[in-house]
Amino acid sequence: MEITGVEAFAVNVPLVDLEDGGIAPYVTNHNELTDMDRILVRVDTDEGISGWGEMRVFLSPEATISVLEDGIAPMVEGHSPFETESLRRLLFIEYTNVDLFFTPIELACWDIVGKSLEKPVYELLGGWTAPDSASRKHRNHVTEYDSAGKVEFAYCLGILPPEESRVKAAQALDEGYSVLKTKAGRDWKQDVARIEAMHDEVDGELEFRLDPNQGWTLDQAVRVGAMLSDAGIYLQYMEQPIRVDSHTSLARLRERIDQPIGPNEDTYIPHNLRGLIEAGAVDVAVLDMTPLGGIAGLRQAASIAEDAGLPYTHHCAFDLGVRTAAILHAVYGIPGFSLPPDTVYYGWEDDVIEDPFVIEDGSMTVPDAPGLGVEIDRDKLDAYRI
């Protein structure tokens, strides 16, 4: 079987407004979102089997599509979709990480391989299928068994005033979530007040993640950690509190506060995870398959974290159904994901797959159909296409 073509589609999908129970505007240290651009990628083969992948937009939809169709497609055409380990290694540019542009193609290849073998991707990754597998329960954050299993997710929230955050924390708890992640980084004192307000609202029944997206300086991060400890609040982790590539400062921060440190953007850079471990600068690895080059790259990073005895989880980036399916298969099929991955899937007005995922008690069910187990709704793809 050979890859014969790659086609990319840019879509823009709105987010549900906060006043309607959603998350928009979703405010971070860097931006404010009411909708999101995404890229869907279809990979075709000479045997008539096609697969789908997904990634975010970089620079512009046109630029991203050009890189994929004009730059990456000619490299992968003629290769077998079974070459999931080697695709991201087809190109090396010493000045930047280009693995992310291979990711949607690699995800589509996993989809094709699963369809060809009539197996869901999680089985190809070695995921357990026995419903009484006690060892799986302990090694991955799987909350329930059925035909494929359910994976628990963490509820994600943008920056809101403390009193509005209280309402969302209560909503998350009512909807069955056990972990809430909030963005931060614009005002460190307000970041502390927001966590304190939500912790008080749910009477300590939620765990929290605090993500300033590199928005604090070292002294601010120290104060945030110390003030939360003084209030008796211990985060599940503090995500990427200071700028990337500051491993020595991150290690000093880790020594000075009682809050676990979870680098995220730092793990996007090749070899940084090993550097963080060697520097003593990480408690939790917050991984993401897109900058890692896909599921195979994610599996490699997970192995590095597991060898170091670190817990790890998966990041979200406003994922539509294709990448959400890939995340579900990956965290279910790769051993060791012991913390719930992030999601904002509940925040979309719509999706471009035929059967959108349903979140029940903070969990989603892993598809058990061949491949990624989702199909694109072409009418919706056309409706949201940029």
Side-chain angles (χ1 to χ4, degrees):
M1 186 187 297
E2 291 185 357
I3 295 171
T4 57
V6 174
E7 186 173 4
F9 307 81
V11 297
N12 176 274
V13 182
L15 299 170
V16 179
D17 291 339
L18 280 162
E19 60 188 26
D20 295 323
I23 58 173
Y26 190 89
V27 179
T28 76
N29 182 39
H30 303 305
N31 53 25
E32 183 173 316
L33 301 170
T34 56
D35 54 25
M36 193 70 177
D37 295 343
R38 300 292 292 174
I39 301 291
L40 282 301
V41 177
R42 190 187 72 231
V43 174
D44 299 320
T45 67
D46 59 351
E47 295 189 15
I49 302 176
S50 297
W52 288 87
E54 178 187 338
M55 69 178 294
R56 65 183 298 177
V57 166
F58 286 89
L59 297 180
S60 71
E62 295 83 0
T64 310
I65 288 174
S66 178
V67 171
L68 290 166
E69 293 186 347
D70 302 327
I72 306 299
M75 296 182 197
V76 301
E77 288 170 356
H79 284 265
S80 167
F82 284 76
E83 297 173 24
T84 53
E85 274 290 348
S86 64
L87 290 178
R88 70 184 187 280
R89 296 178 170 92
L90 292 175
L91 177 64
F92 172 73
I93 300 176
E94 59 268 42
Y95 302 112
T96 188
N97 175 21
V98 295
D99 290 1
L100 61 94
F101 290 104
F102 287 90
T103 295
I105 295 169
E106 193 250 24
L107 298 184
C109 286
W110 282 103
D111 195 22
I112 291 166
V113 170
K115 291 173 180 176
S116 174
L117 300 177
E118 299 185 347
K119 295 288 186 181
V121 168
Y122 74 86
E123 282 195 34
L124 305 181
L125 294 169
W128 290 267
T129 56
D132 59 350
S133 175
S135 62
R136 169 147 193 109
K137 181 80 171 180
H138 294 139
R139 297 182 70 185
N140 285 43
H141 211 80
V142 178
T143 57
E144 184 179 324
Y145 287 99
D146 53 19
S147 58
K150 292 185 178 180
V151 174
E152 181 182 1
F153 282 82
Y155 188 96
C156 294
L157 184 65
I159 297 172
L160 292 172
E163 291 308 306
E164 292 182 35
S165 297
R166 281 180 176 270
V167 175
K168 300 302 288 186
Q171 177 186 331
L173 185 64
D174 288 343
E175 292 177 3
Y177 294 90
S178 65
V179 183
L180 185 151
K181 170 174 142 177
T182 178
K183 290 295 184 179
R186 294 196 173 195
D187 182 331
W188 68 268
K189 293 180 181 179
Q190 281 292 299
D191 296 336
V192 173
R194 191 161 62 258
I195 291 290
E196 289 178 335
M198 292 191 291
H199 179 78
D200 175 69
E201 181 67 24
V202 299
D203 197 24
E205 291 189 51
L206 283 176
E207 288 194 86
F208 293 100
R209 301 170 179 174
L210 191 54
D211 179 15
N213 290 108
Q214 312 176 54
W216 299 326
T217 54
L218 179 59
D219 63 309
Q220 292 171 341
V222 169
R223 292 181 179 189
V224 170
M227 290 178 71
L228 290 174
S229 296
D230 289 345
I233 300 172
Y234 296 91
L235 301 171
Q236 191 172 81
Y237 55 80
M238 183 184 286
E239 183 174 330
Q240 198 65 55
I242 61 176
R243 60 171 296 174
V244 298
D245 283 332
S246 303
H247 298 180
T248 301
S249 295
L250 204 58
R252 290 192 355 239
L253 173 64
R254 182 170 173 260
E255 291 173 354
R256 294 184 64 180
I257 65 174
D258 297 327
Q259 310 293 343
I261 303 299
N264 172 229
E265 290 96 319
D266 253 321
T267 69
Y268 296 176
I269 302 167
H271 315 302
N272 252 18
L273 179 56
R274 189 174 297 280
L276 289 161
I277 292 167
E278 292 171 353
V282 55
D283 293 296
V284 178
V286 185
L287 306 176
D288 192 304
M289 66 175 62
T290 294
L292 292 169
I295 291 174
L298 176 66
R299 180 166 54 185
Q300 181 180 0
S303 297
I304 293 170
E306 187 173 39
D307 283 349
L310 295 176
Y312 44 95
T313 187
H314 199 282
H315 174 252
C316 85
F318 282 89
D319 311 308
L320 290 170
V322 173
R323 202 178 98 118
T324 296
I327 292 169
L328 281 163
H329 282 284
V331 302
Y332 191 77
I334 300 172
F337 279 92
S338 58
L339 298 174
D342 297 332
T343 192
V344 290
Y345 192 76
Y346 45 82
W348 292 112
E349 277 192 11
D350 202 355
D351 198 352
V352 294
I353 59 174
E354 290 182 352
D355 297 304
F357 289 101
V358 175
I359 304 176
E360 294 180 343
D361 294 325
S363 299
M364 285 186 256
T365 300
V366 185
D368 60 356
L372 292 177
V374 295
E375 296 295 335
I376 294 294
D377 185 321
R378 297 306 298 257
D379 290 337
K380 289 185 178 181
L381 183 67
D382 291 340
Y384 293 111
R385 193 167 178 179
I386 299 172

